[in-house]
Amino acid sequence: MTDSLRDQLPKSNDWHWPSVEAIRSLGGSGTNDEINSEVSTRMGFSEEMQSLLHGDGPATEVAYRTAWARTYLKGMGLANNSQRGVWTLTPLGNEVEEDDLPELRNAYLREMREAREKRGDVGVD
């Protein structure tokens, strides 16, 4: 049952825009829990989906995936971790449109790949 629920959750890239919208709706800044809750609401997750644990827990799958989305937003220059557990949109994050995300994501991934190659971590993806 939990695997079928997990399969119903959107893939990683599909969490980025709802995360931007969630932080915007929170006034441009929010805690991890506030953002997780807002993303869950925006994406229409059932209580059962929201309580699905990632692996053996203690984090939920929603919390895990929104954490990765925030990490990507930071890498794309759209948000920063202004203090532990608090995320704030950058000026670019306040202005970005959904259609801009693929290009920003590709640039971020390219930078990450180049940094790994410089360190000699070739082949790690």
Side-chain angles (χ1 to χ4, degrees):
M1 175 83 145
T2 58
D3 282 338
S4 66
L5 277 177
R6 190 171 282 104
D7 291 341
Q8 293 174 37
L9 290 170
K11 301 301 176 206
S12 61
N13 291 350
D14 297 331
W15 295 73
H16 300 165
W17 183 246
S19 296
V20 169
E21 290 183 309
I23 300 170
R24 283 180 181 170
S25 73
L26 294 166
S29 182
T31 65
N32 291 338
D33 288 341
E34 290 171 332
I35 296 165
N36 294 348
S37 177
E38 186 64 26
V39 167
S40 292
T41 299
R42 289 178 173 280
M43 296 181 90
F45 297 144
S46 67
E47 289 293 323
E48 190 177 21
M49 289 176 95
Q50 291 179 52
S51 63
L52 179 65
L53 292 180
H54 176 72
D56 292 333
T60 65
E61 193 66 31
V62 168
Y64 176 80
R65 294 186 188 200
T66 56
W68 271 109
R70 290 188 301 270
T71 298
Y72 269 74
L73 295 182
K74 182 177 182 178
M76 291 186 280
L78 304 177
N80 61 53
N81 195 209
S82 54
Q83 58 182 301
R84 185 170 174 83
V86 177
W87 293 81
T88 304
L89 291 177
T90 64
L92 179 59
N94 282 311
E95 300 296 325
V96 73
E97 299 293 332
E98 185 174 11
D99 292 343
D100 300 326
L101 292 184
E103 183 179 333
L104 292 168
R105 186 172 32 252
N106 288 338
Y108 171 57
L109 292 173
R110 190 170 38 257
E111 288 173 20
M112 295 293 292
R113 193 171 14 261
E114 289 169 2
R116 281 195 305 266
E117 289 172 0
K118 272 188 171 179
R119 289 191 313 265
D121 298 339
V122 178
V124 179
D125 272 331

